[in-house]
Amino acid sequence: MNFAPDEITLQVAQTAKDFANQYIRPHVMEWDESQEFPVHIFKEMGKLGLMGVLVPEQYGGSGLSYFEYNVVIQEIAKVCGSIGLSLAAHNSLCTGHILHFASEEQKQKYLPKLASAEFIGAWGLTEPNTGSDAGNMKTTAVKDGDHWILNGTKCWITHGKSGDVAVVICRTGEPRTKENSTAFIVDRGTPGFNAGKKENKLGMRASETAEMIFDNCRIPDTCRMGAVGDGFHQAMKVLDGGRISIAALALGISKGAYEAALQYSKERYQFDQPISNFQGISFKLADMATEIEAAELLINQACDLKIRGKQMTKEAAMAKYYASEVAVRVSNDAVQIFGGYGYTKDFPVEKFYRDSKLCTIGEGTSEIQKIVISREVLRGF
C-alpha cells in the first residue's frame, strides 16, 4: 500500500515544523527546567488549526485526516515532546471523545472552543489505585433527580489543573461489569471540581500532569455523554485513536533524537576522522533508521484503517507498543553517540531520552498493549 504523503499532508507538516522551530525550539529547556505549561503556545497553535486537526470544519476545526494529525504531532515532538504530548492529549482524548460521542448540542457548545484553543481540554480515566485496571474505578456519579453528584479523584491527568473543560469517566454501576461507567463533560469552575497535586516528572515537564478532584460536584444530566453505562466502552474506543497519537509522539521523539545524533556523528572527530566512520557508531545509526522506518509503517497502517472506518484495535496497539519502545532505544543510543555531551542539558538528546519513557507508559503501558495485541491475535483461533 502506498503511504507516500500527498500535497496537503506535506503542507500541514511544513506548517507544524515551521511553527515548532520558530516558537517552541527557543524555549524548550526554559520550559523544561521551570515546568511551565505554556498555554499561550497552544493558543497560537489554535490559530493555525492544530488544536482541532480532526474536528470537522462545521465545528470550527481543520477537518483533516489521521495522516495529517500524525505528521503534526511528529513535527512538534521532534522539537519538544512535552508540547507534542499536550497537543495529542487535547486532540485525541478530550476533543476526540466529544467529537465521537457527544450530542449535537454538546458538540456545538464545546468543539469550536476546543478547536480554537479558547478551551484547553482534559480527559480523566486513571485513578490512584486503578491505572491499567480502569474497570475498577472508584470515582462515582450518583443520580439525584435531573442531576449527577460526582465524588472521587482522577490522577495523571494531562491539563488536570489548567484545562478549561474535562471529559470524566465515572462509575455508575457495579465494578468490573461492561456497563459500569458513564462519561460526563465538566466545566472548570463548577463547584466541587478542583485541581489537586501537580506531578514533578522525569520528562515531559512542560506538559502539565495533575490530579482532578471531585467533591460532591453537582452537574446537570445535560453534561452526560451518551447512554448511562456506556462510558467504559466509549473510553476504549477513544484510546484506540489515542494510541495512534502516542505512537506518533514517540516517532517524533525518535526522529528528533536520531537526526541530532546523525548530525553530531558527522561533526564529532576522533582519531582524525568523524565518528560516523566507525562501525560502532554507524551500526547504531543503521539500527535507529531501520526501527524508525518500521514504526512509521505501523503508524501509517493504523491511520489508514482508522480513516477507512475499519477495525484497528490490534494495529493501533502494535503501533503504540513498537513506536514507544523504539523511542526509548533510539534516544538511548543517541545519548551514547553524543558521549559525555549527551549526558548534559546543553545538547538536546538528554531531553529526548527523558521524554521518551512516558510513551511506554501513557495511554496504556507496553504490557497492556501486549495484552490487547495477544487477545486480538488469538481471537481468530
Side-chain angles (χ1 to χ4, degrees):
M1 185 171 292
N2 181 18
F3 291 132
D6 60 20
E7 184 176 349
I8 293 176
T9 304
L10 291 172
Q11 289 176 351
V12 170
Q14 189 63 49
T15 297
K17 180 178 182 178
D18 291 344
F19 181 88
N21 284 324
Q22 183 174 354
Y23 295 102
I24 299 174
R25 191 179 296 279
H27 307 287
V28 167
M29 292 311 298
E30 170 194 340
W31 295 335
D32 183 75
E33 294 284 350
S34 66
Q35 300 193 63
E36 176 188 351
F37 175 52
V39 175
H40 65 284
I41 285 295
F42 295 92
K43 303 292 186 183
E44 292 300 318
M45 286 196 286
K47 295 176 183 177
L48 292 176
L50 303 183
M51 296 295 277
V53 180
L54 301 169
V55 176
E57 293 181 24
Q58 69 187 88
Y59 301 115
S62 298
L64 297 172
S65 78
Y66 258 81
F67 284 121
E68 286 76 49
Y69 180 42
N70 170 24
V71 297
V72 165
I73 295 175
Q74 281 188 54
E75 291 298 337
I76 299 297
K78 281 168 68 174
V79 174
C80 180
S82 296
I83 306 303
L85 173 61
S86 280
L87 179 70
H90 174 92
N91 274 280
S92 289
L93 299 181
C94 180
T95 304
H97 199 141
I98 292 172
L99 176 62
H100 292 293
F101 296 105
S103 66
E104 183 60 29
E105 183 179 355
Q106 290 168 332
K107 290 178 182 179
Q108 293 285 354
K109 179 179 180 180
Y110 290 105
L111 289 179
K113 293 182 179 180
L114 287 164
S116 67
E118 179 182 345
F119 279 2
I120 300 295
W123 192 78
L125 177 65
T126 302
E127 299 181 3
N129 293 311
T130 57
S132 299
D133 184 19
N136 198 30
M137 70 182 70
K138 300 295 189 292
T139 299
T140 59
V142 177
K143 191 76 183 293
D144 182 26
D146 59 355
H147 284 70
W148 293 84
I149 300 175
L150 279 53
N151 280 287
T153 299
K154 297 292 184 179
C155 67
W156 308 113
I157 308 304
T158 305
H159 315 146
K161 181 178 180 180
S162 298
D164 300 286
V165 60
V167 171
V168 186
I169 317 301
C170 301
R171 185 162 59 81
T172 52
E174 294 300 316
R176 300 189 187 283
T177 60
K178 291 184 178 180
E179 299 179 347
N180 74 328
S181 60
T182 304
F184 299 91
I185 306 174
V186 188
D187 290 292
R188 183 70 64 182
T190 302
F193 175 24
N194 300 296
K197 174 188 176 185
K198 179 182 175 181
E199 303 297 340
N200 183 9
K201 308 191 299 292
L202 168 73
M204 302 293 193
R205 290 164 62 83
S207 177
E208 178 188 276
T209 305
E211 294 177 322
M212 296 193 303
I213 300 172
F214 299 91
D215 182 11
N216 290 319
C217 179
R218 187 179 181 87
I219 57 174
D221 188 55
T222 53
C223 292
R224 173 172 50 84
M225 255 197 299
V228 174
D230 196 38
F232 190 74
H233 170 75
Q234 293 177 16
M236 294 304 102
K237 291 293 184 182
V238 169
L239 286 173
D240 273 351
R243 286 169 184 145
I244 295 176
S245 70
I246 298 301
L249 173 68
L251 183 59
I253 291 171
S254 296
K255 287 182 175 181
Y258 166 72
E259 290 173 8
L262 179 62
Q263 180 177 345
Y264 181 81
S265 73
K266 295 177 179 179
E267 297 172 350
R268 172 69 168 172
Y269 271 65
Q270 292 287 277
F271 306 101
D272 301 319
Q273 58 186 308
I275 62 172
S276 59
N277 285 356
F278 298 109
Q279 191 177 83
I281 301 299
S282 64
F283 277 18
K284 284 187 188 298
L285 293 169
D287 286 339
M288 295 159 81
T290 301
E291 291 194 315
I292 286 171
E293 290 278 352
E296 189 154 28
L297 286 170
L298 282 171
I299 294 168
N300 284 335
Q301 176 183 239
C303 287
D304 177 65
L305 291 171
K306 179 73 173 176
I307 291 167
R308 293 191 287 122
K310 302 293 185 180
Q311 177 67 25
M312 38 69 79
T313 298
K314 179 187 72 175
E315 290 77 9
M318 285 179 168
K320 196 274 186 188
Y321 165 56
Y322 186 75
S324 63
E325 294 292 339
V326 165
V328 174
R329 289 195 292 270
V330 167
S331 58
N332 178 61
D333 281 346
V335 171
Q336 196 70 18
I337 289 171
F338 270 78
Y341 293 112
Y343 203 66
T344 72
K345 293 183 182 294
D346 295 327
F347 291 82
V349 290
E350 72 86 29
K351 183 177 183 297
F352 286 126
Y353 185 47
R354 288 186 289 109
D355 286 348
S356 67
K357 188 57 192 170
L358 181 278
C359 298
T360 70
I361 299 170
E363 292 194 39
T365 64
S366 291
E367 291 72 22
I368 288 295
Q369 304 312 317
K370 289 181 182 181
I371 291 173
V372 172
I373 294 164
S374 62
R375 283 177 179 170
E376 293 297 316
V377 168
L378 294 169
R379 196 184 300 276
F381 287 87

